[in-house]
Amino acid sequence: MNNNYLIDSNIFITAHRLLYPFDIAPGFWGQLIEKASEKMIIIEKVNNEIVRGGDQLTEWCIENKDKFNVLTIPETPVIEAYSKIISSINDSEHYKLSAKEEFASVADSWLCAYGLAYDYTIVTNEKYSANSKKKIFIPNVCDEFNINYIDLLQFMRETEFRL
């Protein structure tokens, strides 16, 4: 397994809004830079979702952008992985058309493509949902394509956070 982590936007947003607000838990954000920034990969679509918020998280991301690996243009292996994933999703009779269209248009599909292409671990708050037909969850795709994924707490353990 590769030692790089693709970070879903829900990790940043949930941390900021619910778990580790900047004014209460600045240590979390410091540890994120100190312990994990060199291992974290943020794809452009995730970065755009965060910056669109126009809040304190947006400011933090802009101020610290140079400390993270931000990928802007997918390379050929990623495009090929994306195509493979989208083809599989479109061929599936399990999901509704609206779920397929949404998945293809958001960052989640690209996170899965990077994970598949480069053996990166995806860090997400999403949970596997076998019965979901209206939404395609990252863990569902990860299970189908054998892509590693973990939640925030596991990420914090693996990168040795100490708050």
Side-chain angles (χ1 to χ4, degrees):
M1 176 176 34
N2 196 307
N3 202 22
N4 288 310
Y5 300 91
L6 290 160
I7 311 299
D8 189 1
S9 57
N10 67 31
I11 293 296
F12 290 110
I13 294 166
T14 301
H16 163 57
R17 293 183 185 163
L18 301 174
L19 302 173
Y20 305 108
F22 289 98
D23 61 332
I24 296 172
F28 170 82
W29 301 95
Q31 288 283 298
L32 197 59
I33 292 171
E34 180 185 329
K35 300 278 187 173
S37 64
E38 292 180 4
K39 300 171 186 173
M40 291 173 49
I41 297 170
I42 302 169
I43 64 171
E44 186 174 35
K45 282 188 169 272
V46 165
N47 189 61
N48 292 344
E49 287 178 5
I50 295 167
V51 172
R52 196 177 8 208
D55 56 11
Q56 193 173 6
L57 177 60
T58 299
E59 293 172 19
W60 182 85
C61 283
I62 291 170
E63 288 172 14
N64 293 287
K65 187 176 183 175
D66 62 328
K67 295 177 176 82
F68 303 105
N69 299 309
V70 180
L71 303 179
T72 55
I73 301 172
E75 296 174 340
T76 301
V78 176
I79 294 169
E80 290 171 355
Y82 177 84
S83 178
K84 184 177 179 181
I85 290 168
I86 295 301
S87 290
S88 176
I89 295 293
N90 285 335
D91 290 344
S92 171
E93 294 181 15
H94 180 79
Y95 298 108
K96 293 185 177 259
L97 178 60
S98 58
K100 295 174 183 183
E101 290 172 347
E102 179 189 358
F103 183 75
S105 70
V106 295
D108 295 2
S109 55
W110 288 101
L111 282 170
C112 293
Y114 275 96
L116 180 60
Y118 298 127
D119 195 28
Y120 294 156
T121 298
I122 299 173
V123 183
T124 184
N125 287 324
E126 291 184 6
K127 304 291 183 220
Y128 179 83
S129 177
N131 298 322
S132 177
K133 295 181 183 319
K134 295 181 180 179
K135 178 169 174 46
I136 300 171
F137 292 99
I138 290 171
N140 292 39
V141 176
C142 289
D143 278 3
E144 180 179 344
F145 288 93
N146 201 29
I147 301 166
N148 297 310
Y149 67 95
I150 58 175
D151 63 16
L152 177 59
L153 287 178
Q154 185 61 35
F155 171 72
M156 292 169 69
R157 286 183 179 107
E158 289 184 15
T159 54
E160 300 178 352
F161 269 53
R162 297 294 175 257
L163 298 179

